[in-house]
Amino acid sequence: MTDCVFCRIGSREIPASVAWEDEEFLAFQDLNPMAPVHVLVIPKQHIATLMEITDVGLLGRAMLAVQQVARVLGISEHGFRVVANIGDDGGMTVGHLHFHLLGGRQMHWPPG
């Protein structure tokens, strides 16, 4: 999908500060970080939202990617938060499935 900014980042057409990557997923620094560590983990394949996932294996691999990124960024031991915003009411601003990985500080509840 050529008009999707995250697809363009995933294909390296648009530069980003990449934290981790494999053949299926890419993790890059959020432009508006809400924690000392705040990266977005995206599938390189375009999937608009979590509601479009039909391959449960992809979802499992995404969570394994999140684990790996947390390890690489040094937040796996003390804990972190994973957020997936869905739709307008959920606060989704880019129509490409992505997981916010936040860490490096104590997370509070409720989040907002």
Side-chain angles (χ1 to χ4, degrees):
M1 174 171 271
T2 59
D3 61 335
C4 173
V5 67
F6 284 179
C7 284
R8 294 174 70 197
I9 289 171
S11 69
R12 301 299 182 99
E13 185 180 333
I14 295 176
S17 181
V18 173
W20 178 88
E21 168 176 31
D22 71 7
E23 53 283 332
E24 192 172 19
F25 299 96
L26 180 77
F28 57 93
Q29 303 295 327
D30 192 290
L31 290 178
N32 187 25
M34 296 292 139
V37 174
H38 187 173
V39 298
L40 303 178
V41 180
I42 66 165
K44 292 179 182 178
Q45 167 192 355
H46 183 80
I47 300 168
T49 75
L50 188 66
M51 298 305 293
E52 288 190 4
I53 291 180
T54 58
D55 176 1
V56 295
L58 181 131
L59 189 54
R61 292 188 305 277
M63 292 301 100
L64 292 174
V66 166
Q67 287 179 351
Q68 184 61 26
V69 175
R71 286 185 191 102
V72 167
L73 297 178
I75 60 172
S76 62
E77 196 154 313
H78 293 286
F80 54 91
R81 179 169 287 163
V82 180
V83 177
N85 299 324
I86 312 303
D88 292 338
D89 284 354
M92 189 174 205
T93 58
V94 176
H96 185 114
L97 177 64
H98 58 284
F99 299 94
H100 294 260
L101 173 58
L102 301 114
R105 68 168 170 83
Q106 177 70 49
M107 297 293 143
H108 301 285
W109 197 262

